[in-house]
Amino acid sequence: MSSAYLLLSHGSRDPRPEIAMQQLARLICHKLPKNHNSANSEHLVGIAALEMNPQPLHEQIQQFAKSAFGDCPVSQNENSLKIVPLFLLPGVHVMTDIPAEVALAQQTLGQDIMIELQPYLGSHPNLEKLLAKQIAAIKAEAWILLAHGSRRPGSQETVEAMAASLGAVTAYWAGPPSLELRVKELVGAGYREIAILPYFLFAGGITDAIATSIEQLKLQFSAVNFQLAEPLGASAELAELIWDLTDR
């Protein structure tokens, strides 16, 4: 069977996430089995975005599939397209929007290319180890794990569990409890060294806004030392987790 891999992100008007996605795609290329033609390997790993793209996702999937398998002889069920959603929460996008777009793409492609929707990145058990490394690199009395949040009921349970395991409290950018509320609670409890870990894939508009909000918190709580960690970023360790998801 011939396999191709499509890394799927949310999409952004900011150019930085797409650049990071391209870096991850290159890292995944290096993990392709040795029997793949190295000259053609770049056509077997692609990126797509659910939003902020001129094409709807199902059309991006179809276009990539034709690019990846265009030179392959048509043989039923022999071509596999594995889509890995690089999302951290099982929100509406992961549970509803993406499967619907994948189903549309599969209808058009027929049975010659089988699409396999892999588990979303936030479900990988070793993701916590990457966050723990970031926490170990910064000295602080208290940590806040700041995630985007989701309107889908129950979608934040994985973040809550991860925060508890890391010895952190949670806050959400797009819903309660807010970063400011969590900071007030920690300051009220006597903490003066507070670090914030953004539970986001890449630097972009939201991480810039987080940095700005922390500058405002510094003015509000002048006796507190705040530190802001980096988002996950396009690292070899992250690429390893993504590649592991392609085999699940």
Side-chain angles (χ1 to χ4, degrees):
M1 176 177 283
S2 178
S3 297
Y5 307 88
L6 189 62
L7 310 183
L8 174 59
S9 68
H10 180 276
S12 173
R13 292 186 182 89
D14 191 298
R16 288 172 290 175
E18 183 173 356
I19 292 168
M21 287 289 289
Q22 291 168 348
Q23 291 172 337
L24 278 176
R26 285 195 291 271
L27 289 168
I28 296 297
C29 272
H30 296 319
K31 297 182 176 297
L32 293 178
K34 298 301 181 188
N35 59 351
H36 275 301
N37 183 335
S38 59
N40 191 47
S41 63
E42 64 185 49
H43 301 295
L44 295 174
V45 181
I47 63 173
L50 180 62
E51 296 182 357
M52 312 299 175
N53 190 291
Q55 287 181 301
L57 178 58
H58 65 274
E59 290 183 6
Q60 296 175 63
I61 294 171
Q62 291 160 215
Q63 186 174 325
F64 173 70
K66 289 171 184 174
S67 169
F69 300 115
D71 297 326
C72 295
V74 175
S75 179
Q76 193 167 16
N77 297 333
E78 286 298 310
N79 296 326
S80 168
L81 171 53
K82 299 189 177 189
I83 299 178
V84 188
L86 302 192
F87 288 70
L88 298 174
L89 300 177
V92 175
H93 287 330
V94 166
M95 304 305 291
T96 303
D97 299 340
I98 294 170
E101 290 288 316
V102 167
L104 281 175
Q106 186 69 79
Q107 284 175 14
T108 303
L109 292 171
Q111 299 303 304
D112 298 321
I113 298 173
M114 298 305 298
I115 302 176
E116 298 178 34
L117 184 57
Q118 307 303 119
Y120 71 99
L121 177 60
S123 68
H124 198 296
N126 288 340
L127 190 60
E128 187 181 309
K129 292 180 181 179
L130 289 188
L131 300 178
K133 278 180 64 176
Q134 290 172 283
I135 286 177
I138 296 176
K139 186 180 178 183
E141 295 173 343
W143 277 89
I144 299 173
L145 184 65
L146 178 58
H148 184 277
S150 170
R151 66 183 185 274
R152 181 177 174 272
S155 62
Q156 292 166 188
E157 292 175 1
T158 55
V159 182
E160 298 292 335
M162 187 174 291
S165 180
L166 293 168
V169 295
T170 54
Y172 297 94
W173 188 250
S178 67
L179 176 61
E180 183 179 4
L181 176 64
R182 282 301 196 215
V183 167
K184 285 180 178 177
E185 290 174 351
L186 291 171
V187 171
Y191 292 103
R192 295 295 179 266
E193 298 270 347
I194 300 174
I196 295 93
L197 177 56
Y199 191 43
F200 290 82
L201 275 181
F202 311 122
I206 293 180
T207 57
D208 287 351
I210 291 169
T212 299
S213 68
I214 290 173
E215 290 303 313
Q216 294 168 348
L217 288 169
K218 287 178 180 178
L219 296 175
Q220 191 175 348
F221 303 100
S222 56
V224 177
N225 180 31
F226 291 95
Q227 296 195 69
L228 177 61
E230 295 294 324
L232 286 163
S235 65
E237 294 92 340
L238 186 62
E240 189 67 42
L241 298 190
I242 294 167
W243 182 248
D244 187 47
L245 288 171
T246 68
D247 197 32
R248 294 195 170 215

